[in-house]
Amino acid sequence: MTVQRWAAIGTGTISRSVVPDLQSCEGAEVVIVQSRDAAKAAAFAEEFGIPTATGDYEAVLADPEIDAIYLATPFATHHAMARAALLAGKHVLVEKPMTMDAAEAADLFALAAERGLFLMEAMWMKFSPVFIRLHEELANGTIGVPRNLRATFGIPFPNEGDSSKWDVARSGGALLDQGIYPITLAHSVFGEPTSIHASGTVRDDGLDIAEHFTLEYADGRYAQCASSMSEFAELTASVGGPKGWLTLTPPFWATTDLEVHAGGMRQIFRTPDLVEFPREGSGYVPMLRAVIAAIAEGATEHPVHTAADTLAVFRTIDVIFAQIR
């Protein structure tokens, strides 16, 4: 495999977890880090052993030696910066949420397809071994045909020290930052909903603080979900059916454990089977390995998290925003 030369764009909390995982993957080398603050880029490069640091994004895109971009900047910048990278001929992995709405995401995917470049939202949850096992249990009929799903992601974020989450000009609020995980999980099990009912708390400037929503499907199937950046909501997720239920332990989007409440009364109610998986790095390695392989194969998207998957989730997000704002 030819070694891909990657640029890490952004030096925030998520980059501090993803970049070391990317460095551990065969077939990829992180050769440069960029930040709007050149001093932060330099400190990040020194800490993680990256050869070059810069504050100039355009220079990164102009470098013919750079093959791929990992983009982890504030949400509101994703569309413009990813678009610029695609126009410069770079493959792009964009942190979730890829964009602020479905129209922006559709624009990027159309451009990537036109240019023959790989583009994906970094929805690492879908690549984790426990998420794959969940879907294997569903396919095997362990709980029967799934009928209901519950997933909540509520964590109070302080106003100080992480101002970007509370800055409407840079953040998407609770739904795009947290609610995207329950929605993605529900879509992976049931597909796109036939109807949506949502309510929430929104500031005067449009920033959503919290929301709860029900996604409804044919034959009475449903997903009950919630997200919040002002209070805790239980950080588990479960899928239920006539024979039992499956629980992703907290935090469900990053867990390595699956509880199987099925098989017999004792397993269902008292002692569920616990399926555990080791974590590779910070948990991003399975996704990054898959992305590297897809780029090497000349793919423009990955079958685990396709353009169609991403766009369907954003259509649901758009409807929820329309109802709560």
Side-chain angles (χ1 to χ4, degrees), residues 10-317:
T11 57
T13 301
I14 188 66
S15 289
R16 300 183 67 82
S17 295
V18 175
V19 168
D21 279 11
L22 182 56
Q23 290 174 312
S24 74
C25 291
E26 183 179 357
E29 181 182 4
V30 182
V31 297
I32 189 169
V33 58
Q34 184 271 339
S35 170
R36 291 173 303 167
D37 185 331
K40 287 185 177 179
F44 190 96
E46 181 176 3
E47 180 177 355
F48 293 101
I50 300 170
T52 307
T54 182
D56 189 343
Y57 185 56
E58 292 183 359
V60 174
L61 299 186
D63 187 345
E65 298 298 314
I66 302 299
D67 300 306
I69 299 289
Y70 166 64
L71 183 61
T73 55
F75 303 164
T77 68
H78 286 182
H79 176 253
M81 295 183 73
R83 196 170 213 286
L86 292 167
L87 288 172
K90 312 302 183 188
H91 304 290
V92 184
L93 177 64
V94 189
E95 259 309 322
K96 63 82 197 164
M98 173 180 281
T99 56
M100 301 296 282
D101 56 40
E104 288 185 347
D107 174 64
L108 293 182
F109 282 118
L111 180 59
E114 174 189 315
R115 297 298 178 100
L117 295 166
F118 182 87
L119 172 67
M120 196 184 85
E121 179 184 60
M123 183 49 67
W124 63 305
M125 174 182 72
K126 292 181 72 173
F127 292 83
S128 71
V130 69
F131 188 91
I132 293 169
R133 178 61 177 265
L134 169 74
H135 281 272
E136 289 174 348
E137 297 288 349
L138 293 176
N140 291 337
T142 301
I143 63 167
V145 177
R147 299 287 303 164
N148 60 78
L149 182 148
R150 178 198 52 78
T152 52
F153 184 167
I155 294 179
F157 292 106
N159 283 304
E160 299 91 19
D162 197 5
S163 60
S164 66
K165 291 187 181 298
W166 294 88
D167 181 357
V168 71
R170 302 175 65 200
S171 168
L175 186 59
L176 284 171
D177 191 18
Q178 298 158 267
I180 193 170
Y181 285 111
I183 295 169
T184 298
L185 176 61
H187 274 238
S188 76
V189 174
F190 293 134
E192 197 164 358
T194 56
S195 65
I196 300 168
H197 303 277
S199 182
T201 302
V202 183
R203 288 194 323 202
D204 290 342
D205 62 4
L207 185 75
D208 62 299
I209 305 301
E211 50 273 314
H212 52 93
F213 44 94
T214 301
L215 312 182
E216 296 184 348
Y217 302 85
D219 303 324
R221 293 171 296 143
Y222 64 91
Q224 293 180 324
C225 307
S227 46
S228 176
M229 54 195 287
S230 60
E231 72 266 341
F232 281 105
E234 187 184 4
L235 303 176
T236 62
S238 64
V239 183
K243 297 181 180 179
W245 74 92
L246 304 169
T247 296
L248 292 166
T249 62
F252 78 85
W253 63 94
T255 186
T256 58
D257 304 329
L258 177 69
E259 292 180 356
V260 182
H261 294 260
M265 289 299 104
R266 186 170 184 83
Q267 287 95 332
I268 291 174
F269 293 108
R270 299 289 299 275
T271 55
D273 292 333
L274 181 65
V275 184
E276 300 175 275
F277 294 90
R279 187 185 304 278
E280 291 188 83
S282 294
Y284 302 93
V285 171
M287 176 190 69
L288 295 169
R289 187 186 295 125
V291 168
I292 292 165
I295 292 173
E297 293 165 4
T300 58
E301 59 182 330
H302 197 283
V304 169
H305 192 49
T306 64
D309 293 338
T310 305
L311 292 173
V313 167
F314 270 104
R315 286 193 293 269
T316 295
I317 288 171

